Amino acid sequence: MADITNQSLNEIIENVKTKKISSRELTKAYIKNIENAKKLNAFVTTTFDQALENAKQFDNKPNFDQLLPGIPLAVKDLFCTENTKTTAGSNILNNFIPSYESTVTKNLWGNGSFLLGKLNCDEFAMGSSNETSHYGNVINPVGDQLVPGGSSGGSSSALAADLTPATIGTDTGGSIRQPASFTGTVGLKPTYGLCSRWGIVAFASSLDQAGPMTKTIKDCAIMLESMSGFDEKDSTSINKKKEQYSKNLKDNIKGLKIGIPKEYRVDNMPKEIDELWEKGKNILKDLGAQLIDISLPHTKYALPTYYIVAPAEASSNLARYDGVRYGYRSKQGKDLIEMYEKTRSEGFGDEVKRRILIGTYVLSSGYYDAYYLKAQKVRQLIKKDFDDSFKKIDAILTPSTPSSAFKIGEKTNDPVSMYLNDIFTVPVNLAGLPALSLPAGVDKKGYPLGLQLIGKALDEQKILNIGYAFEKNCGFKNEIKKWWS
Amino acid sequence: MSKEKFDYFIKGEKGKYEVVIGLEVHAQVSSKSKLFSGSSTKFGADPNNQVSLIDSAFPGMLPVINEECVKQAVRTGLGLNAKINNYSVFDRKNYFYADLPQGYQISQYKNPIVGEGKVLLDMPYGSKEIGIERLHLEQDAGKSIHDMDPSNTYVDLNRSGIALMEIVSKPDLRSPDEVNAYIKKLRSIMRYLGTCDGNMQEGSLRADVNVSVRKEGDKNFGTRCEIKNVNSIKFMQMAIEYEATRQVELIENGKEIDQETRLFDTKKNETRSMRSKEDAHDYRYFPDPDLLPLKLEQKLIDDLKISLPELPDKKKERFIKEYGLNAYEANILVSEKEISDYYEEVAKLSDKKLAATWMMGDLFAMLNDKGLDISKSPISAKNFAELVQSIKTGEISGRIAKEVFEIMVESGDNPKKIIESKGMKQQSDPKELEKMINEILSKNKDKVDQYKAGKEKLFGFFVGQVMKLSGGKANPQLTNEILKKLLKG
C-alpha cells in the first residue's frame, strides 16, 4: 500500500484492524522513516529490535479490540521505560536504565501498543526550543533551521515528520502545546491529575502533566483514553471513572459559549497571531458557538508566578541527582561535598543550573515569603479568575503561542525572551486546567500557528469536541516536505 | 510519703542557676511499612534489603502516605492529651547528604498533625505538668557507615523513609531527673498505645536536647544550645549536666553563650560545637507538591479516641481506688503496660495489697537481677498469685515464702506443689504448737524464770527456739500468741 505513515493514527488503526497492514509492516515503515531522518535528531534511543519482536507477537496473536492494536509509539524520554535507557535529555542520566515502567506508558502498552524509541527533549523538560538537551538540538521538519518547540520537541518533530503515528509529551508550562503549535500538530495538556505522574522524571510536581500529541483531534481522544486513569501510586491522581473520549467525540458545538479573554492580546503581538485568533473566533461563531468577552485580570502575573513556582519545585526535585545511587558520577572529587559539586556541575546543563539557582533562591529563608509564598497566593488568584469565568462559559479560545517557530540559536542567549514563549500556556498549568493546542493556520513564512482551547477541570471531552468541529471547518493542512531524507 | 523540695541548681561563684531543658524526641512509629512506601520496617535486616524505589529516590517515584502511620500519630497525640489537627501539611526539608536519597526529608513544618498537649510527671516533690508543643510526622534518613572501609563510606537505606514522630516539649523541664521521668513517661504512654516500642538500643527513641541556664528567679530564658541525637537517658543526663555547667562557667566569666548545635561525646563526657547559628542549614522548607494536605475526618479521630486503651495516669487512679494501693505503689505498677497487666492478673486471684508488696519487692528484684522484662518472668502471674495467697492464708510464712519463691524461679513450678512436696507448709495447728512450746519451756526453765522476773527480751529467744525446732514452719503469729499465754501461766 501507499505510504501509511502519513496517515492519522485513527486511519492506521483501521488499516491494522481490517488487516490491510500488519503490525510488523507498520513498524518497519516507521523504522525506515526514522533511519532516514537522523538529521532531525528527534530520537535519543531507538528500540527497533524489541519493537519488531512486539509487532511479531501482535501479528501472531492479534487483539483488535484494543484501543491501540499493534501500534508502535515513540515517547518523550522523560517517561521511565523498563530496561530502556531514560535520559530526560540530561547528561546526569546518560546511563540510567529504569527497572520500572511509568504508569502512563504502561497504560499505552496495555492497550496494545509498544515502544519504538525514546524522543529527545529539553533537559529535564526545561526549555521552549529543545536547545537545552544534552543530546543536541532537534530540528523542526517545517524548516531546516527551525526549532521544534519545547520541551517536547523530539515528540513534535517526530510526529510531524511521520516518525511515529502519535506520541506523548509532558506539559509543565506549555511543553506539549507550544511544540504542537510550532509543528502544525495537536497537543493536549489534560487536567492536572488525569494522567499519573508515577514514573515520569519530575520537573515541577504541582504543574507536570503528561498528555497526547497527535495529528488529529480523533487521534488525541484515542491517545488520551489510552494513557489516562487513576493511579493509587500518585497521591495527586484524580479518582474518577474512565471516559471514552474517542467514542463520545461530537462535532456539534451549537450554543456553546466561548470566552475570549482580553488579557491575551499582549503588547507587540504579531499581527498574524491576532488575525489567526480572529479566524478562529469566526469559525466557532459560524459553527453556532457564542463568543463572550471575558476578563482574566491576573493573567499578567502568570509568567513571573510560574518562573518562581516551577524552579522552586525543580530545585528540590533535582536534588536526588547526586551521583550516589544511579546516573552520572564525576570521577573527580576528594570527598562527598566535592563529589556532589563536580557531579552536578558536569551532569547538568546551563538552563537546568539556572533554574536550580532561581528555585534555591526563592525558597531561601528571608526570601520565601516575598517570592514563593506570594507566588502561591497569586496562583490562587489566577485559578480564581478561571473559576469565575467558567461559571458563564464552556471554554476559552486564545492563541497558543505569541509567534511561530523561531530559528535555532535565535533566543538561546536571552532566557527572558525564551520564557515569554510560554505566556499563553502557563496560566493553564498554574490553574490545573485542560488545554488543547490546535493547528489553525500559517504565518506569512508558511510556518504553522496554533490556537488554544482551555476547558474546565475534567472537561476534556468538551474541548475535544470543539476542536473536532474546528478541525473539520478550519481547512488547515500540514504541508511538510520531507527535505531531510 | 514525705514530699521533698525541688533542688537542682548549678552552683556558680555568683549564685545558683536554674537549668531550663526542652526535648525534641524522635520516636519511631510502630508500623509494618514505611511512612511513604511499602518497604518493611523490621529491625536487623541485612543492609539495603528493605529499600524500595521510593526510599532510594529513583526518578519519577512518588510518596503515598501510609494511613496506619497517620493513625499512630493521632493515637499518640490523644495519649498526650493534645489537640489533633484536622488539617496538616507535609513539607520538604532540603539538604544534601549521602544517606538522604531524595535530597530532602519529608517532614511537617508549619502545620503539624498534632498541636499542644501535656504530660504529667510524678516527682518526689509532687506532680509536675510538662507542656507538649507539637508532634509531627517525618521520614527517617538512612545510615552512613564510615568504618567499614578506609577510603569509602557505605550507606544503608533500610531506615530511609521509616516513619518518625517528633515530639517537641515546651522548655518546662528543670533537671536531669525530670528528663528521666519525662522520657520514661513518654515511652510508657507510647508503649501502652502500641505506637512506638521505645527501644532505645535499636534507635526507636532518640532525642535532641535543648539546654539553657538562668540565675535562680530570672524570668527570661538564657541562650540555648541544642545537643543533637542523644540515644540514652543516661547520656542525656550526662550531657545536660556537662552543658549546664559549661554555660554557667561562661556566664560567670563574663562570656557570651553562642546559640549553636552541639554533639555529645560519650567517651569524653563532654559536648562539642557542631555548627554555629551562622552556619545553620537553610532547609528551604516548602509544602511537598507530591502530597496533598492531610485532612482528617473528625469521625476518624473520635473513633481512635474511643478505641484507646487505658493509659498510665487513668490506670494509676483506678489502682488506688480499686486495689487500695498508695500513690507510690500505683505509680510503679502502671509504669509499664506489661507490669500492670501482670499485677492485675495477680490481684484478681490474691490479696491485692500483699501482691503489690511482693511484686515490687522480690519479683522486681529477681527480674532486675536477671535482666528480664516481666513478660519473660520465670514465674507466671497465676503461680505468683498462689504464692501470695499462701502467705495471706498463713499456709506458709514470709520466710518460707522466700524459699518457695527461689524454687519457683528455678523450676517454674506451682507453689502449692513445691510446698506440698517439700513439706514446707506452715505449722498452724495450736495443739501441735503448744506441745512444741511446752517442750521448749520445760527444757529452759532458768530462762522462763528470768523472763518472768522481768527480762522480757528473752521472748525473742523462745520464738527462735520454736522456729528452730519446727524447721522454720511454725506460724509466727500463733507462736507469739501461744508463747505469751504459756509464759504468763
Side-chain angles (χ1 to χ4, degrees), chain B residues 19-232:
Chain B
V19 184
V20 176
I21 308 154
L23 290 187
E24 293 165 23
V25 170
H26 300 263
Q28 181 178 328
V29 175
S30 295
S31 65
K32 285 204 185 73
S33 51
K34 295 182 179 179
L35 184 53
F36 297 111
S37 83
S39 307
S40 167
T41 58
K42 215 163 162 211
F43 181 80
D46 286 342
N48 295 314
N49 264 270
Q50 293 175 169
V51 185
S52 73
L53 293 165
I54 297 167
D55 309 322
S56 46
F58 271 66
M61 291 301 102
L62 299 171
V64 176
I65 185 78
N66 176 344
E67 278 177 38
E68 184 51 26
C69 294
V70 172
K71 286 184 186 167
Q72 292 289 57
V74 172
R75 286 186 187 108
T76 308
L78 292 169
L80 300 175
N81 305 299
K83 183 180 177 294
I84 308 300
N85 293 322
N86 297 73
Y87 177 93
S88 69
V89 176
F90 286 102
D91 296 280
R92 291 186 184 177
K93 179 180 179 180
N94 295 282
Y95 66 97
F96 280 97
Y97 203 65
D99 57 24
L100 187 74
Q102 293 166 140
Y104 53 83
Q105 176 196 33
I106 305 178
S107 181
Q108 295 190 301
Y109 185 48
K110 283 187 182 155
N111 297 287
I113 184 165
V114 175
E116 291 190 329
K118 55 178 187 284
V119 167
L120 216 56
L121 305 187
D122 275 293
M123 302 308 294
Y125 35 86
S127 75
K128 177 166 177 177
E129 191 178 297
I130 304 300
I132 299 291
E133 180 76 36
R134 59 186 278 165
L135 176 155
H136 69 251
L137 279 167
E138 63 183 28
Q139 295 177 300
D140 204 350
K143 202 165 89 186
S144 291
I145 305 156
H146 301 290
D147 54 6
M148 262 174 73
D149 185 287
S151 54
N152 289 299
T153 292
Y154 286 78
V155 176
D156 177 8
L157 295 179
N158 280 353
R159 240 170 49 190
S160 167
I162 282 183
L164 301 178
M165 295 179 280
E166 180 170 325
I167 304 167
V168 183
S169 83
K170 302 210 172 196
D172 290 347
L173 297 157
R174 292 291 177 271
S175 73
D177 281 349
E178 288 186 0
V179 166
N180 176 45
Y182 172 75
I183 297 269
K184 283 191 172 149
K185 189 64 180 279
L186 267 189
R187 187 174 175 274
S188 164
I189 292 170
M190 291 189 292
R191 285 174 57 88
Y192 264 79
L193 293 165
T195 57
C196 170
D197 66 20
N199 191 329
M200 295 188 103
Q201 278 90 45
E202 292 176 7
S204 299
L205 205 63
R206 323 190 286 268
D208 300 339
V209 187
N210 285 291
V211 180
S212 68
V213 297
R214 62 179 171 190
K215 269 255 177 78
E216 190 187 5
D218 266 6
K219 287 270 179 298
N220 296 328
F221 289 127
T223 306
R224 71 188 153 87
C225 291
E226 184 184 15
I227 311 161
K228 273 273 174 216
N229 221 2
V230 197
N231 63 4
S232 89

Side-chain angles (χ1 to χ4, degrees), chain A residues 1-7 12 21 24-43 46 48 72 74 116 119 141 157-166 215 480 482-485:
Chain A
M1 69 190 300
D3 184 11
I4 192 168
T5 61
N6 60 19
Q7 296 183 355
I12 293 168
I21 190 166
R24 202 169 157 79
E25 287 166 323
L26 180 67
T27 305
K28 278 185 174 166
Y30 280 107
I31 291 173
K32 192 175 147 226
N33 283 6
I34 294 164
E35 280 176 336
N36 287 332
K38 291 211 169 109
K39 235 184 238 173
L40 299 179
N41 196 30
F43 281 76
T46 53
F48 296 156
L116 191 52
L119 297 166
S157 173
L159 176 68
D162 300 333
L163 312 183
T164 180
K215 290 177 180 169
I480 291 178
K482 299 200 172 169
W483 50 266
W484 56 85
S485 57

Side-chain angles (χ1 to χ4, degrees), chain A residues 96 100 197-200 205 232-235 313 316-317 319-321 325-326 340 344 360 363-365 368 372, chain B residues 53 56-64 92 94 96-98 101-102 104 282 284-287 289-292:
Chain A
F96 177 60
Y100 49 95
R197 291 184 296 114
W198 195 89
I200 303 174
S205 310
E232 59 180 16
K233 291 187 286 186
D234 175 358
S235 306
E313 293 181 9
S316 176
N317 281 337
R320 64 187 56 198
Y321 306 106
R325 296 165 313 286
Y326 50 79
Y340 282 158
R344 290 167 65 83
T360 304
L363 289 175
S364 299
S365 92
Y368 180 87
Y372 188 76
Chain B
L53 293 165
S56 46
F58 271 66
M61 291 301 102
L62 299 171
V64 176
R92 291 186 184 177
N94 295 282
F96 280 97
Y97 203 65
Q102 293 166 140
Y104 53 83
D282 183 351
R284 292 172 280 121
Y285 281 102
F286 76 107
D290 285 333
L291 292 160
L292 301 171

